[in-house]
Amino acid sequence: SLFRLKDLEVAELGDSDVHVKMLAAPINPADINMIQGTYAILSPLPAVGGNEGVGEVLEVGRRVAALKPGDWVIPAGAGVGTWRTRGVFPEETLLKVPSDIPVLCAATLSVNPCTAYRMLTDFESLAPGDSVIQNAANSGVGQAVIQIAKASGIKTINVVRDRPDLPKLVERLMALGADHVVTEEMLRKPEMKDIFKSIPKPRLALNCVGGKSTTEMLRHLQPKGTVVTYGGMAKQPVMVPVSAFIFRDLRLRGFWMTQWRKDHAQDQESLASMMDALCQLIRRGQLAAPACTEVPLQDYKAALEASMKPFTSSKQILLL
């Protein structure tokens, strides 16, 4: 295994540093990809895994003004290494979050809900009554898309893979506010027309699968609609019929949250307004943490294995 649990000394607290006691950190697909070396970021080894999580500030260096002991913080970017009980981080690598939101919401806030929020906001100007289609709808991002869209009056068509416990999954996504849940196979069936009697065809498609799944979603998009690709779980390219470009002028775009953060590093306003909007939704009960399984750090091996099983609808969260 690439992993070991090690006891390390906590680093000295510099003037601009913050000593953090980590509370909880999820295992996301990107974390696994980083470890396998198949991601766009390579950490110099030895490295601590984990790009996301929430911690409580224990003490701050004398130049730190914006944070104080007792505050909750999440990483401002990728690659800080959150799978640890304690860490000393430079102040600018942390974002303060309200401590009145549930700990699992805070632990899973900086990647999936932010990705969902940006994709719903930045590509098409959607109004209440408009619709969005997405695949892997039961993923962390998928669950956030359903809830954020619902809160804005946007309809969602949610595509999932067929599975043994499909009715249970459909029920869970409907409870989150999904308008329609369909399997990949159903995308090809004439019954899809029935869905569009009650809601308009989508202007936006969100793809984290690739391959046939994307091609099937494309068919249902409005002319000039946009497909945003943010993952490739099928490890297959996105295939688009030429006619979709010529006769329907579809747009193909990509999104990577890490890049968005880099591009907006000087723009604190857009980051703050997004975090604010998400925390408001959480407080109002309109955005819940994804289905989670809480695992103590010493059982990390089991958690890693579970996170790589197919058809898992539960995110593994390390309790630190």
Side-chain angles (χ1 to χ4, degrees), residues 21-158:
K21 170 185 186 288
M22 292 302 296
L23 301 171
I27 299 177
N28 289 317
D31 301 329
I32 307 281
N33 295 342
M34 264 174 90
I35 292 148
Q36 293 165 335
T38 58
Y39 204 61
I41 304 172
L42 285 175
S43 301
L45 299 174
V48 178
N51 286 300
E52 185 178 41
V54 63
E56 183 185 328
V57 175
L58 293 177
E59 55 178 327
V60 299
R62 60 191 178 83
R63 289 218 194 102
V64 174
L67 293 170
K68 60 184 190 307
D71 284 348
W72 277 15
V73 288
I74 62 175
V80 297
T82 53
W83 300 345
R84 60 172 100 208
T85 53
R86 292 190 178 202
V88 169
F89 307 103
E91 178 184 19
E92 72 270 12
T93 62
L94 301 170
L95 284 179
K96 183 176 166 178
V97 290
S99 52
D100 65 345
I101 61 174
V103 72
L104 293 181
C105 287
T108 54
L109 181 60
S110 66
V111 180
N112 295 337
C114 290
T115 300
Y117 183 92
R118 295 264 57 104
M119 292 194 303
L120 287 169
T121 310
D122 296 351
F123 294 93
E124 291 280 345
S125 46
L126 299 169
D130 284 344
S131 79
V132 174
I133 188 167
Q134 63 165 345
N135 56 23
N138 58 312
S139 67
V141 172
Q143 294 176 54
V145 164
I146 290 170
Q147 296 171 84
I148 296 166
K150 171 87 173 171
S152 327
I154 294 160
K155 310 284 182 200
T156 57
I157 301 157
N158 301 281

Side-chain angles (χ1 to χ4, degrees), residues 250-282:
L250 293 188
R251 285 120 223 264
L252 265 67
R253 302 284 309 271
F255 183 77
W256 187 31
M257 194 63 220
T258 303
Q259 189 61 45
W260 186 91
R261 287 186 198 282
K262 277 190 198 133
D263 294 346
H264 294 78
Q266 302 315 312
D267 176 10
Q268 284 310 297
E269 191 40 46
S270 60
L271 180 64
S273 71
M274 167 171 69
M275 299 313 279
D276 238 29
L278 291 170
C279 289
Q280 284 297 354
L281 290 174
I282 291 168

